[in-house]
């Protein structure tokens, strides 16, 4: 048992979590105890196929989690497409930053306009 907040906690977690890349097939980015997968697809691939592929990767990670006694918080899981015309969800937060799923930077522009108006 390693107590939360100790020096060894981070090191041991990284060592334990390192083989999740077998499930993600090297498409992951790990930050502390967060796992993000980013995949790139050609524009010609239909959205349903993109989402189905992403769902398969999600299921692989969940299988890895079951085998390694790691539970993922369902409320923090999202499948989404970032694209100016193909985005299918609203803006979302990632590590505290608002991400515009259409890549138009609307929140940033609105913040600048609000600062500029006297």
């Amino acid at each position: 048992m390693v107590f939360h907040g100790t020096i060894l906690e981070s090191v041991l977690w990284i060592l334990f979590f390192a083989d999740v890349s077998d499930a993600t097939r090297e498409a992951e980015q790990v930050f502390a105890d967060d796992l993000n997968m980013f995949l790139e697809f050609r524009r010609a691939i239909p959205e349903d196929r993109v989402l189905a592929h992403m769902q398969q990767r999600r299921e692989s990670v969940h299988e890895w989690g079951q085998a390694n006694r790691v539970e993922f918080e369902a409320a923090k899981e999202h499948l989404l497409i970032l694209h100016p015309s193909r985005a299918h969800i609203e803006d979302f937060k990632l590590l505290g930053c608002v991400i515009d799923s259409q890549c138009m930077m609307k929140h940033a522009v609105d913040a600048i306009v609000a600062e500029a108006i006297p």
Side-chain angles (χ1 to χ4, degrees):
M1 177 177 191
V2 178
F3 293 101
H4 184 65
T6 63
I7 294 171
L8 281 179
E9 177 193 25
S10 299
V11 174
L12 292 174
W13 177 252
I14 290 168
L15 292 172
F16 173 75
F17 205 64
D19 70 336
V20 75
S21 62
D22 295 341
T24 64
R25 297 184 203 117
E26 309 276 333
E28 83 284 349
Q29 298 226 341
V30 178
F31 178 78
D33 62 349
D34 288 332
L35 171 67
N36 297 302
M37 286 191 295
F38 300 94
L39 303 168
E40 188 174 333
F41 296 90
R42 292 187 326 244
R43 285 187 200 153
I45 298 175
E47 283 181 40
D48 59 336
R49 284 188 46 207
V50 168
L51 291 170
H53 184 79
M54 292 188 325
Q55 181 61 31
Q56 287 174 343
R57 291 281 178 99
R58 174 192 268 178
E59 290 168 4
S60 294
V61 170
H62 279 259
E63 288 172 11
W64 175 90
Q66 288 174 345
N68 291 281
R69 291 189 261 161
V70 174
E71 293 181 23
F72 296 97
E73 196 171 329
K76 292 185 176 182
E77 291 188 21
H78 306 283
L79 295 179
L80 53 103
I81 297 173
L82 297 177
H83 190 273
S85 63
R86 295 177 70 180
H88 68 285
I89 67 161
E90 305 262 335
D91 298 346
F92 63 97
K93 278 193 171 185
L94 179 63
L95 298 175
C97 298
V98 176
I99 307 293
D100 176 7
S101 59
Q102 291 184 316
C103 307
M104 303 297 280
M105 298 180 65
K106 184 178 178 343
H107 285 286
V109 172
D110 289 346
I112 292 170
V113 169
E115 289 287 324
I117 295 175

